[in-house]
Amino acid sequence: MTGQNYSMVSEFILVGFSNFPRHLLPAFFLLYLLMYLFTLLGNLLIMATVWREHSLHTPMYLFLCSLSTSEILFTVAVTPRMLVDMLSTHHTITFVACASQMFFSFTFGFTHSFLLMIMGYDRYVAICHPLRYNVLMSNHGCARLISWTWAGGSVMGMMVTMIVFHLTFCGSNVIHHFLCHVFSLLKLACGKETASVSLGVILVCVSALMGCLFLIVLSYVFIVAAILRIPSAEGRHKTFSTCVSHLTVVIVHYSFASIIYLKPKGPQSMDSNTLMATTYTVFTPFLSPIIFSLRNKELKNAIKKSFQRKLSPLSS
């Protein structure tokens, strides 16, 4: 193996928020802890509501439950470690733990993107081919689509993790991030193949994410064309309202991802880069259940109904 003469790295140091003023860390800890708990509770509430309400046992809400599951697992893979490191002086992470965190964060992150793509396809079939919806989006078909998204996310996570951790890490073991971020790790790798591996990882990730985005955009091109053919304004509004929550989450997801991964190289400080990274890893999962709960009329009414059923025995 190339680089056998180098001293092998057995653990890494996550810089994270350690360069921030100490008096600010409790405030950051409390803010991110509340967002983390709200993300968990919000997604669990969505899943419980869909499970209880038989009127929501449709493909769209089945996909939404799977999306909530991926967001919970992604958040659990990233945020607890970040919160612990904020208040700790011990920021080391073992080689195996680092690889595990990268695998799970990539698996659930890609699964999330694949599910957003499938949800776009669901809206396309519902609006453009309503007569064939029950055939194309049968229970068996939905289960198969969800299985493929989770399998695809797992394959992407395994592939990227194996490629990165096949490299030799030598010299510095300091990761300038609060998690085992792929590009921060690639900067620590040594050997002739590092440049080609970095390019390969970038191409794989960008191709998968841009492929999902392209198919989502293509779905909405056909959806908008179909909506414009509806004669009444009320009909157009009612049809488009079924897509608003999904479209908003897609815009938020890809906007924050673009800020992180496509921002131009500049003189930004490590602290600003750290805060920007939390917009995708913490803030985006935090917003998602809020958007679906407030912008989806059926889900919002179902949540209200559930709370009313819970509160009515207490009031009586």
Side-chain angles (χ1 to χ4, degrees):
M1 175 191 257
T2 303
Q4 274 186 330
N5 294 329
Y6 294 112
S7 58
M8 301 294 290
V9 172
S10 60
E11 64 180 17
F12 298 98
I13 298 173
L14 296 171
V15 173
F17 289 80
S18 58
N19 291 329
F20 280 66
R22 298 297 299 176
H23 66 278
L24 293 179
L25 292 183
F28 279 121
F29 175 85
L30 181 61
L31 173 63
Y32 291 131
L33 175 63
L34 291 175
M35 293 173 72
Y36 170 66
L37 294 176
F38 188 90
T39 300
L40 297 182
L41 293 175
N43 282 297
L44 288 172
L45 176 62
I46 289 174
M47 294 167 66
T49 302
V50 172
W51 178 266
R52 287 172 59 88
E53 295 294 329
H54 291 286
S55 61
L56 299 182
H57 290 181
T58 61
M60 181 172 69
Y61 294 104
L62 179 64
F63 295 139
L64 179 57
C65 276
S66 192
L67 189 77
S68 294
T69 303
S70 70
E71 287 193 333
I72 289 174
L73 295 175
F74 175 82
T75 306
V76 169
V78 173
T79 309
R81 172 79 202 201
M82 181 189 76
L83 292 172
V84 169
D85 283 348
M86 275 189 190
L87 301 183
S88 173
T89 56
H90 183 73
H91 297 149
T92 59
I93 183 170
T94 64
F95 192 90
V96 173
C98 190
S100 299
Q101 188 187 56
M102 178 180 288
F103 167 72
F104 288 119
S105 61
F106 265 91
T107 294
F108 303 135
F110 275 110
T111 300
H112 186 273
S113 296
F114 294 153
L115 284 167
L116 288 176
M117 177 185 67
I118 295 300
M119 292 174 77
Y121 173 71
D122 172 76
R123 293 298 83 209
Y124 160 75
V125 174
I127 294 171
C128 298
H129 303 284
L131 298 179
R132 300 178 61 196
Y133 184 79
N134 289 333
V135 176
L136 294 174
M137 304 304 292
S138 63
N139 291 336
H140 178 70
C142 291
R144 188 168 53 195
L145 286 173
I146 291 174
S147 299
W148 277 111
T149 59
W150 283 93
S154 300
V155 169
M156 291 295 296
M158 181 63 71
M159 183 168 59
V160 173
T161 304
M162 289 184 67
I163 289 173
V164 172
F165 282 89
H166 178 72
L167 296 170
T168 303
F169 296 95
C170 54
S172 175
N173 66 338
V174 177
I175 300 175
H176 291 281
H177 211 286
F178 54 80
L179 58 89
C180 289
H181 189 258
V182 59
F183 297 124
S184 299
L185 272 167
L186 288 172
K187 292 177 182 178
L188 305 181
C190 50
K192 294 180 180 179
E193 73 273 19
T194 302
S196 59
V197 168
S198 300
L199 180 61
V201 169
I202 292 171
L203 287 176
V204 167
C205 296
V206 170
S207 298
L209 294 176
M210 289 300 103
C212 290
L213 180 60
F214 171 75
L215 292 175
I216 292 171
V217 171
L218 188 63
S219 297
Y220 275 100
V221 168
F222 288 111
I223 287 171
V224 170
I227 290 175
L228 292 177
R229 290 196 293 269
I230 298 175
S232 68
E234 183 182 355
R236 289 194 295 270
H237 179 268
K238 185 177 180 180
T239 303
F240 186 71
S241 65
T242 64
C243 305
V244 170
S245 56
H246 172 257
L247 187 58
T248 305
V249 168
V250 168
I251 293 171
V252 169
H253 176 78
Y254 278 94
S255 296
F256 283 126
S258 300
I259 291 173
I260 302 305
Y261 294 107
L262 301 181
K263 70 179 187 296
K265 300 295 181 182
Q268 296 101 333
S269 67
M270 291 295 178
D271 293 350
S272 64
N273 287 335
T274 299
L275 289 176
M276 288 178 68
T278 61
T279 60
Y280 182 72
T281 55
V282 181
F283 193 58
T284 301
F286 166 75
L287 286 178
S288 185
I290 297 176
I291 294 169
F292 278 113
S293 299
L294 296 180
R295 302 297 299 176
N296 189 298
K297 190 175 181 180
E298 284 184 320
L299 182 62
K300 183 167 64 174
N301 291 336
I303 292 174
K304 284 182 180 178
K305 194 187 299 183
S306 294
F307 274 110
Q308 286 170 355
R309 280 202 299 262
K310 292 286 185 182
L311 294 174
S312 55
L314 295 176
S315 59
S316 60

